């Protein structure tokens, strides 16, 4: 492959990964609400009747049909031009999906540093996978002749099927950095709390913690100084 083709594939991979990230906007919220548990996240995503899974499958089908159709319609052009033109419906479908998926989340996503790191690694993994697939099919195109050569990059349309697995992998990669870092914070916090003479109150549970905290603060503030 020429240097120019390498650059084109790299640029196309970055654009495709960025567009696909837009279509996976609900996934970070699900991971966050799962407590960054990869198992809990995947269990929820693949739960029977999950609407988000169904929408991503539909997205993959639409991307496949549109890109294949545009490659077929422009097959009278050079393969490179037909492949480039097929990016237009790919981008349009991704943007349309993004704006049609504006649903209200039960718990709004919090843009924490940890979530941003997971999303960054996820985007990088998408770029790497798409780039690898494109390079593989570009080399494989030498053995492909005729009309089939126009559909060598259509396989990228199947990427929505891999959203949950890649996001869970990104979460596990980030844990390599986050887990030791969090332990250092916990150690410092435990030391500071142990040295403090104040009375400590812990509130636990699966939901309602913030409400109970606010009520406890309002009640105790009548007599005590509360932090």
């Amino acid at each position: 492959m020429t240097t120019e083709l390498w650059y084109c594939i790299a640029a196309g991979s970055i654009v495709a990964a960025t567009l696909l990230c837009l279509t996976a906007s609900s996934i970070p919220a699900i991971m966050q609400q799962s407590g960054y548990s990869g198992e809990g996240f995947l269990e929820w995503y693949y739960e029977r009747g999950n609407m988000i899974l169904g929408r991503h499958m539909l997205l993959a089908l639409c991307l496949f049909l549109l890109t294949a159709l545009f490659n077929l319609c422009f097959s009278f052009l050079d393969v490179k031009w037909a492949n480039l033109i097929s990016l237009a419906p790919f981008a349009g479908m991704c943007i349309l999906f993004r704006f049609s998926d504006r649903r209200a989340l039960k718990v709004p996503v919090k843009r924490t540093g940890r979530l941003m790191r997971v999303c960054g690694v996820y985007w990088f993994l998408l770029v790497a996978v798409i780039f690898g697939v494109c390079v593989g099919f570009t080399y494989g195109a030498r053995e492909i002749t005729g009309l089939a050569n126009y559909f060598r990059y259509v396989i990228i349309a199947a990427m929505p099927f891999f959203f949950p697995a890649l996001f869970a992998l990104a979460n596990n990669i980030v844990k390599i950095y986050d887990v030791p870092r969090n332990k250092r914070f916990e150690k410092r916090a435990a030391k500071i709390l142990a040295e403090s003479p104040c009375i400590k109150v812990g509130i636990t549970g699966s939901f309602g913690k913030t409400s109970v905290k606010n009520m406890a603060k309002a009640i105790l503030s009548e007599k005590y100084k509360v932090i």
Side-chain angles (χ1 to χ4, degrees), residues 49-126:
N50 190 328
M51 188 179 294
I52 294 178
L53 171 60
R55 285 175 64 83
H56 284 156
M57 292 177 68
L58 181 61
L59 172 66
L61 178 62
C62 290
L63 290 175
F64 178 84
L65 292 175
L66 281 172
T67 51
L69 179 62
F70 269 67
N71 272 294
L72 183 62
C73 290
F74 291 92
S75 58
F76 61 89
L77 297 174
D78 183 69
V79 174
K80 289 185 289 187
W81 281 106
N83 290 159
L84 185 62
I85 291 170
S86 69
L87 274 175
F90 184 94
M93 190 66 218
C94 288
I95 294 170
L96 178 64
F97 183 91
R98 172 66 181 88
F99 285 101
S100 68
D101 197 35
R102 286 180 164 181
R103 67 187 69 202
L105 296 169
K106 184 178 179 182
V107 179
V109 65
K110 294 179 177 61
R111 300 183 185 279
T112 62
R114 182 176 187 177
L115 187 66
M116 293 299 100
R117 286 191 290 274
V118 175
C119 289
V121 173
Y122 170 65
W123 177 83
F124 182 81
L125 289 174
L126 270 178

Side-chain angles (χ1 to χ4, degrees), residues 139-197:
Y139 275 112
R142 297 173 180 175
E143 308 298 326
I144 303 172
T145 57
L147 191 61
N149 200 19
Y150 285 83
F151 305 108
R152 55 185 174 179
Y153 300 136
V154 175
I155 190 66
I156 300 303
M159 286 307 299
F161 288 108
F162 302 97
F163 283 169
L166 286 175
F167 206 85
L169 176 59
N171 181 57
N172 287 336
I173 292 173
V174 170
K175 278 183 178 179
I176 297 172
Y177 166 77
D178 274 341
V179 170
R181 179 173 176 267
N182 290 344
K183 284 183 177 178
R184 288 196 297 271
F185 279 125
E186 290 170 10
K187 190 175 181 180
R188 278 180 56 196
K191 182 181 178 182
I192 293 170
L193 283 172
E195 293 172 350
S196 172

Side-chain angles (χ1 to χ4, degrees), residues 2-15:
T2 63
T3 304
E4 182 183 355
L5 185 55
W6 278 105
Y7 286 144
C8 287
I9 292 176
S13 300
I14 291 171
V15 171

Side-chain angles (χ1 to χ4, degrees), residues 2-54:
T2 63
T3 304
E4 182 183 355
L5 185 55
W6 278 105
Y7 286 144
C8 287
I9 292 176
S13 300
I14 291 171
V15 171
T18 303
L19 289 167
L20 287 169
C21 278
L22 292 176
T23 67
S25 58
S26 56
I27 287 183
I30 299 166
M31 177 63 81
Q32 195 173 65
Q33 291 171 30
S34 300
Y36 295 96
S37 166
E39 292 181 3
F41 164 74
L42 292 174
E43 184 179 348
W44 185 94
Y45 186 89
Y46 288 111
E47 186 180 7
R48 186 175 180 180
N50 190 328
M51 188 179 294
I52 294 178
L53 171 60

